[in-house]
Amino acid sequence: MLASRVARAGLRASTRVGMRTYASSAAQDVRPPVALYGVDGTYANALYTASAKTSNLENVAKALTQLGTVFKKDPKLTSILNAPTLSAADKQQIVAELQRVAGGAAADKDSILKNFLNTLAENNRLGLLESIVEKFGTLMSAHRGEIELNITSAQELDNKTIQRIERAVAKSEISQGKKLKVVTKVNPDIIGGLVVEIGDRTIDLSVSSKISKLNRALTEAV
């Protein structure tokens, strides 16, 4: 697992450095398709702009998709990247490992991702990488004219069920006629059922929601 390899890079003391914006090296005439906020949003915007400037957008998006898969498989990774005791040498090893799993030089012909990861490391922001990957995905969806369809379930859904939900939403008005980008999430807290989110619409069919409504009704009846 990547988290194990990152952990072996060592956890030694280091000093936090001030944030250097990556956006300064990005083109000013290329704007992200949607507005994102927060520090992670700022970094995602900057990476998008730099990638678009060098016509490297799809390659970087593919590399970040690879990293996103690793974060899903390795839940300890973000906490390791957040460790305040990482030394400069540790960070160099981590960046090299992240590059490797993202696809290496073939997916980063202009060193956009490498430079970006190095900037995160220097600014002690590697812990934001998972969130940045998610927000970059939002930018790419907007760039491609897609709309995210988030499906949350208590357990992993099989492909047949996911495709059935996707077809149903695609035929409805809430899809806005756009291509759907399906994102599945597992949250045991919902107990059962589904929570479907698309755009600003949420369809909560979870067992936990039904229990909550029942509890409110019982409370009001007493």
Side-chain angles (χ1 to χ4, degrees):
M1 294 175 74
L2 179 58
S4 299
R5 292 194 290 270
V6 168
R8 286 198 294 270
L11 299 177
R12 295 179 289 273
S14 66
T15 304
R16 289 186 64 84
V17 296
M19 174 179 175
R20 279 191 335 203
T21 177
Y22 185 71
S24 61
S25 63
Q28 297 302 313
D29 58 342
V30 178
R31 295 184 179 181
V34 294
L36 297 179
Y37 303 98
V39 178
D40 51 355
T42 298
Y43 276 110
N45 285 334
L47 179 58
Y48 177 93
T49 304
S51 301
K53 177 188 176 184
T54 57
S55 301
N56 208 21
L57 202 53
E58 291 298 334
N59 284 334
V60 171
K62 183 177 179 180
L64 290 190
T65 298
Q66 288 288 100
L67 288 178
T69 300
V70 172
F71 278 110
K72 287 181 179 179
K73 292 180 178 178
D74 221 337
K76 294 181 180 178
L77 181 56
T78 293
S79 61
I80 291 174
L81 295 180
N82 264 318
T85 50
L86 293 173
S87 71
D90 296 331
K91 293 172 185 176
Q92 287 180 357
Q93 292 181 51
I94 289 170
V95 167
E97 184 63 25
L98 290 171
Q99 265 196 289
R100 187 190 68 78
V101 299
D108 194 17
K109 63 181 181 180
D110 295 306
S111 298
I112 295 294
L113 184 59
K114 178 182 178 181
N115 293 337
F116 181 74
L117 292 173
N118 279 326
T119 298
L120 290 181
E122 291 169 10
N123 294 341
N124 287 340
R125 296 294 191 182
L126 283 171
L128 290 176
L129 185 56
E130 182 176 13
S131 180
I132 292 169
V133 167
E134 291 178 0
K135 291 202 170 183
F136 191 88
T138 299
L139 292 174
M140 288 304 298
S141 290
H143 170 74
R144 294 166 178 158
E146 300 171 338
I147 185 169
E148 271 196 8
L149 169 62
N150 291 287
I151 306 171
T152 303
S153 56
Q155 297 179 335
E156 291 252 2
L157 298 175
D158 58 77
N159 289 334
K160 189 175 181 180
T161 300
I162 294 171
Q163 290 170 3
R164 191 161 66 243
I165 296 169
E166 182 180 4
R167 285 195 298 269
V169 173
K171 292 178 182 178
S172 70
E173 293 182 358
I174 60 175
S175 70
Q176 302 171 34
K178 294 184 178 181
K179 181 180 178 181
L180 298 177
K181 178 185 177 182
V182 179
V183 179
T184 58
K185 303 176 183 178
V186 174
N187 181 4
D189 291 342
I190 72 171
I191 304 174
L194 297 170
V195 177
V196 178
E197 299 169 281
I198 180 169
D200 59 356
R201 295 283 299 275
T202 299
I203 305 171
D204 192 342
L205 303 174
S206 65
V207 172
S208 62
S209 175
K210 293 177 181 178
I211 291 175
S212 179
K213 290 177 181 177
L214 177 60
N215 286 338
R216 282 200 302 271
L218 291 173
T219 301
E220 291 170 0
V222 174

